[in-house]
Amino acid sequence: MAPIATSREEFDEIPTVVGIFSAFGLVFTVSLFAWICCQRKSSKSNKTPPYKFVHVLKGVDIYPENLNSKKKFGGDDKNDVKNKPAVPKNSLHLDLEKRDLNGNFPKTNLKVGSPSDPENVTPKPLLEGEKEAVSPDSLKSSTSLTSEEKQEKLGTLFFSLEYNFEKKAFVVNIKEARGLPAMDEQSMTSDPYIKMTILPEKKHKVKTRVLRKTLDPAFDETFTFYGIPYTQIQELALHFTILSFDRFSRDDIIGEVLIPLSGIELSDGKMLMNREIIKRNVRKSSGRGELLISLCYQSTTNTLTVVVLKARHLPKSDVSGLSDPYVKVNLYHAKKRISKKKTHVKKCTPNAVFNELFVFDIPCEGLEEISVEFLVLDSERGSRNEVIGRLVLGATAEGTGGEHWKEICDFPRRQIAKWHMLCDG
């Protein structure tokens, strides 16, 4: 009987040994799988993403085609610039340089003077071949200011222009602004930033970061536009708009600077320039233009059909001379907005043709408490759109707006079109 007992004990030990080896094997497999996943994740994070686009987030521009494992934001040193791949001729995109992870710039990079001693900061050549850019045109523009503009000082903008022939890139560096007026009456300071547009196309728009509570902001931000031929530079103009950020309402416009590039020679190197900031150009047109509207009230279905047909004689929105208009239509019931529509944007025209139809459901019988508001706006990418003109049609509206409304009430199911003068928004 003793040998039989011994064999049974051996059979009982076999499952225990198998279980121990299985447990060790499972732990080893899980550990190996976790290690492989970590290695793949770390290797993926070091690779440059396979896409090309410009992404702006809180003032920090990300350019995947120029990133490496060491730098994710900001500009490149001189050595890195040489190693950058050539940009295709037909590609046109902008670049921001010399930013850190927070979107700020190191003070040591300021080439002209020191921030602690602003009085000693004077425009001067940076490198050999660079020249002073105070041209006769700038002297004429400064001496041709009106008496009102001389009385109200809006400050001075300092910037530099350069053309990189090797990369076919136009480079604009916004250095600083001095002597800005205080737009916040309580703190007696401003939160300035600058928007820049290349005219006349108006499709290349950039802006600096906002600097808090300062009247002498030092931006030192560089914008690089690739794919612009040097022969085309003379046909362009730069439009700078200096604004003060307002968290709770529309940003305050401090002033503007317009720089035609005709006559400016960039073949000799970087040019330092400064211009007096002037008051923003106010529309000189006595009117805001006209809008052709067609209305039809369907009493059986209780719907109102609105057709935005045309706009004409729209005033100049800014120094570029042309607007990008579109129309926003708001339906009100008892002074409360209940519906809104808008047309497509028409590019660079004072006489836009829309021909767009909208149908509104009326929540009550009749049109006594209904009114329609038309807002003609100028589309601005990256900023709030400016109102060009306004029109209200309703029972209490004055002038042609009230007359047009009375006609569609008296003649339901009839499409009636009329031209209307736009008023201030």
Side-chain angles (χ1 to χ4, degrees):
M1 299 298 290
I4 297 176
T6 303
S7 62
R8 287 181 178 176
E9 291 177 358
E10 292 177 355
F11 282 114
D12 292 339
E13 291 177 357
I14 291 176
T16 305
V17 174
V18 173
I20 292 174
F21 278 104
S22 300
F24 277 110
L26 180 62
V27 172
F28 176 78
T29 303
V30 172
S31 301
L32 180 62
F33 179 75
W35 181 80
I36 293 174
C37 291
C38 292
Q39 291 296 322
R40 288 182 178 178
K41 185 176 181 180
S42 61
S43 62
K44 286 183 179 180
S45 62
N46 292 332
K47 292 182 179 180
T48 300
Y51 49 77
K52 293 184 179 181
F53 71 102
V54 178
H55 176 65
V56 181
L57 177 61
K58 293 184 178 179
V60 179
D61 287 47
I62 306 172
Y63 300 91
E65 63 270 19
N66 293 331
L67 299 183
N68 52 40
S69 59
K70 296 181 179 179
K71 289 188 178 181
K72 295 299 179 185
F73 302 90
D76 301 307
D77 297 334
K78 294 182 180 179
N79 296 332
D80 296 332
V81 173
K82 297 179 181 179
N83 298 329
K84 281 187 178 179
V87 181
K89 293 182 178 180
N90 296 331
S91 66
L92 178 59
H93 67 275
L94 57 92
D95 192 3
L96 288 179
E97 301 176 355
K98 300 180 181 179
R99 289 182 183 270
D100 57 19
L101 291 178
N102 296 323
N104 300 320
F105 293 86
K107 295 183 180 179
T108 56
N109 289 343
L110 291 175
K111 299 276 181 94
V112 184
S114 172
S116 59
D117 189 12
E119 295 182 358
N120 296 330
V121 182
T122 56
K124 60 182 180 179
L126 294 179
L127 299 172
E128 295 183 1
E130 301 177 17
K131 67 179 183 179
E132 185 71 28
V134 181
S135 61
D137 295 335
S138 64
L139 297 176
K140 291 180 182 179
S141 63
S142 61
T143 56
S144 61
L145 297 175
T146 62
S147 59
E148 294 180 358
E149 292 170 342
K150 289 180 180 179
Q151 292 177 1
E152 185 181 1
K153 295 289 184 180
L154 299 179
T156 307
L157 177 65
F158 294 84
F159 57 97
S160 67
L161 305 178
E162 184 182 9
Y163 189 82
N164 190 320
F165 289 91
E166 181 181 355
K167 297 182 179 180
K168 291 184 173 59
F170 179 51
V171 183
V172 181
N173 178 259
I174 300 178
K175 295 188 174 298
E176 61 179 339
R178 295 189 216 152
L180 299 180
M183 306 304 291
D184 190 343
E185 298 179 355
Q186 295 181 352
S187 61
M188 293 305 297
T189 185
S190 297
D191 297 329
Y193 70 97
I194 297 177
K195 293 196 304 182
M196 187 190 74
T197 307
I198 297 183
L199 303 179
E201 295 180 351
K202 280 180 63 178
K203 61 182 180 181
H204 309 304
K205 302 178 182 180
V206 295
K207 64 179 178 180
T208 67
R209 70 196 189 282
V210 177
L211 296 182
R212 303 287 182 179
K213 300 185 183 303
T214 177
L215 301 181
D216 301 298
F219 299 101
D220 195 19
E221 298 197 29
T222 300
F223 301 91
T224 303
F225 300 88
Y226 293 96
I228 300 181
Y230 181 73
T231 55
Q232 187 183 348
I233 296 294
Q234 300 290 323
E235 304 172 1
L236 304 178
L238 298 180
H239 180 223
F240 300 91
T241 305
I242 298 87
L243 304 99
S244 179
F245 175 76
D246 193 331
R247 180 175 298 177
F248 303 104
S249 62
R250 188 183 295 268
D251 294 346
D252 299 316
I253 298 177
I254 297 176
E256 66 181 359
V257 173
L258 178 64
I259 307 294
L261 298 181
S262 58
I264 296 180
E265 186 62 44
L266 299 178
S267 59
D268 297 334
K270 184 182 294 185
M271 298 182 65
L272 288 175
M273 308 181 72
N274 64 82
R275 291 292 188 274
E276 293 294 325
I277 301 172
I278 62 174
K279 191 174 182 180
R280 189 174 188 185
N281 182 32
V282 182
R283 295 185 180 91
K284 298 181 180 180
S285 175
S286 57
R288 298 287 180 171
E290 299 176 74
L291 191 63
L292 179 60
I293 299 295
S294 177
L295 299 177
C296 177
Y297 174 56
Q298 295 285 349
S299 56
T300 54
T301 58
N302 209 29
T303 57
L304 179 65
T305 301
V306 178
V307 184
V308 181
L309 296 170
K310 298 179 181 180
R312 67 186 180 188
H313 309 317
L314 297 179
K316 297 179 181 179
S317 63
D318 51 32
V319 292
S320 67
L322 295 174
S323 303
D324 297 332
Y326 72 97
V327 181
K328 187 176 180 180
V329 185
N330 296 319
L331 181 70
Y332 288 86
H333 173 238
K335 298 183 179 180
K336 181 180 179 181
R337 189 173 69 178
I338 58 175
S339 183
K340 61 180 180 180
K341 307 283 186 180
K342 66 178 180 180
T343 69
H344 292 86
V345 177
K346 301 299 178 180
K347 293 290 185 180
C348 300
T349 176
N351 303 302
V353 178
F354 299 102
N355 286 335
E356 297 192 36
L357 180 146
F358 308 105
V359 178
F360 296 96
D361 294 324
I362 305 302
C364 59
E365 293 293 333
L367 300 176
E368 290 78 12
E369 296 184 343
I370 300 296
S371 62
V372 183
E373 178 189 46
F374 299 88
L375 293 175
V376 182
L377 301 102
D378 180 22
S379 177
E380 291 284 347
R381 291 191 305 171
S383 63
R384 297 174 183 173
N385 300 331
E386 183 180 357
V387 178
I388 298 176
R390 179 174 178 265
L391 170 67
V392 177
L393 274 68
T396 59
E398 299 179 355
T400 57
E403 296 173 0
H404 196 173
W405 197 259
K406 187 176 183 301
E407 287 187 34
I408 66 170
C409 293
D410 294 341
F411 303 98
R413 299 183 299 277
R414 180 185 298 181
Q415 200 81 25
I416 302 175
K418 280 185 178 294
W419 281 99
H420 298 274
M421 296 291 296
L422 298 172
C423 60
D424 293 340

